[in-house]
Amino acid sequence: MPLFELRGVSFQAAGRTILHPVDLTLETGRITGLIGPNGSGKSTLVKLLARQAVPAAGTIRFGGRDIGEGSARDFVRRLAYLPQFLPAADGMTVEEFVRLGRFPWHGTFGRFSDEDRAKVAAAMDACAVTGFRERLVDTLSGGERQRVALATMLAQDACCLVLDEPTSALDIAHQAEMLAMLGTIARERALSVVIVLHDINMAARLCDRLVALGGGRVVADAEPAGIMRPDVLMKIYGIGMRIFTPPEGGAPIGYVT
């Protein structure tokens, strides 16, 4: 069963079309990267997938049923969403913040069970944040905060993770660390991931499939090898690029000519 099925999905804001009618099917169990220049519609698309916005037209199916069916609580048990800007964590420790991921499973007044505690502990271990579980989130570095955010998503125990530019504020070392961690976790846990990324080389390294948007339309859709070509990158970004394939193997690397 496909993860997402979009048919004729569009979005408008302030009288302007942000996303033109899109037909797209995303597979379960894969890491799909959304790429493209600023203003291409990437963040709008992930908001629609995460039920943070409603399309102007068209239909979205998630896990075989209309995305609008069911309660919000049922939806967030199946899908965890990380927006571009992290929510405030005033006065919260790392462990308290990660515990928020269990909210869909016990509600506001529900008892925090042994299972909840185990899920939180496992999520913090997977994201290497257990060592500073008692520190305030607001005192952490950007890279540490993103790992805490990822741990919160894992504690949510959803089968699908949707992330909007999780590395945009990180230096290159922390970008590589964050994405390597995400890739390892996704494959070990057989999770489906949809992620917006700006760095085409990082995206090609992490993702099983890349969907490129431009002007609110899908302009390219293929596995990384089919995207990392000068003609395709020109179509996506409108700039001349060349491709270098490392002699030791691995994903090809694009660079501006």
Side-chain angles (χ1 to χ4, degrees), residues 176-218:
E177 177 189 57
M178 171 75 175
L179 295 180
M181 179 176 289
L182 174 62
T184 298
I185 291 170
R187 293 183 171 100
E188 286 180 348
R189 299 189 177 204
L191 299 175
S192 302
V193 177
V194 180
I195 181 171
V196 174
L197 291 170
H198 269 299
D199 190 314
I200 183 61
N201 293 316
M202 292 285 189
R205 191 174 179 180
L206 170 70
C207 300
D208 302 308
R209 174 184 175 188
L210 297 175
V211 177
L213 284 89
R217 294 180 170 87
V218 174

Side-chain angles (χ1 to χ4, degrees), residues 41-56:
K42 303 183 301 295
S43 291
T44 297
L45 181 55
V46 295
K47 286 177 182 176
L48 293 173
L49 299 182
R51 220 162 85 164
Q52 301 294 305
V54 178

Side-chain angles (χ1 to χ4, degrees), residues 70-224:
S71 67
R73 183 175 177 181
D74 172 66
F75 183 75
V76 297
R77 285 182 173 185
R78 298 186 294 142
L79 183 146
Y81 170 61
L82 182 64
Q84 280 190 30
F85 304 104
L86 298 181
D90 296 340
M92 298 184 72
T93 67
V94 167
E95 184 169 5
E96 289 170 339
F97 193 84
V98 177
R99 284 168 66 107
L100 294 176
R102 297 304 299 163
F103 178 79
W105 298 95
H106 60 73
T108 305
F109 303 108
R111 179 175 174 272
F112 207 79
S113 67
D114 289 342
E115 181 182 7
D116 292 322
R117 279 184 280 274
K119 295 287 186 182
V120 168
M124 289 195 298
D125 284 346
C127 297
V129 300
T130 304
F132 45 87
R133 65 196 304 166
E134 296 182 359
R135 284 180 57 187
L136 294 177
V137 174
D138 289 341
T139 67
L140 303 178
S141 68
E144 291 169 337
R145 282 178 62 93
Q146 288 298 79
R147 280 158 46 202
V148 170
L150 179 58
T152 306
M153 298 179 81
L154 295 184
Q156 195 170 323
D157 207 24
C159 61
C160 176
L161 309 182
V162 176
L163 306 92
D164 191 358
E165 297 187 40
T167 60
S168 60
L170 304 182
D171 61 52
I172 190 167
H174 285 99
Q175 286 183 40
E177 177 189 57
M178 171 75 175
L179 295 180
M181 179 176 289
L182 174 62
T184 298
I185 291 170
R187 293 183 171 100
E188 286 180 348
R189 299 189 177 204
L191 299 175
S192 302
V193 177
V194 180
I195 181 171
V196 174
L197 291 170
H198 269 299
D199 190 314
I200 183 61
N201 293 316
M202 292 285 189
R205 191 174 179 180
L206 170 70
C207 300
D208 302 308
R209 174 184 175 188
L210 297 175
V211 177
L213 284 89
R217 294 180 170 87
V218 174
V219 296
D221 179 3
E223 294 185 354

Side-chain angles (χ1 to χ4, degrees), residues 28-42:
T28 300
R30 305 191 80 194
I31 301 177
T32 301
L34 302 182
I35 60 171
N38 290 339
S40 59
K42 303 183 301 295

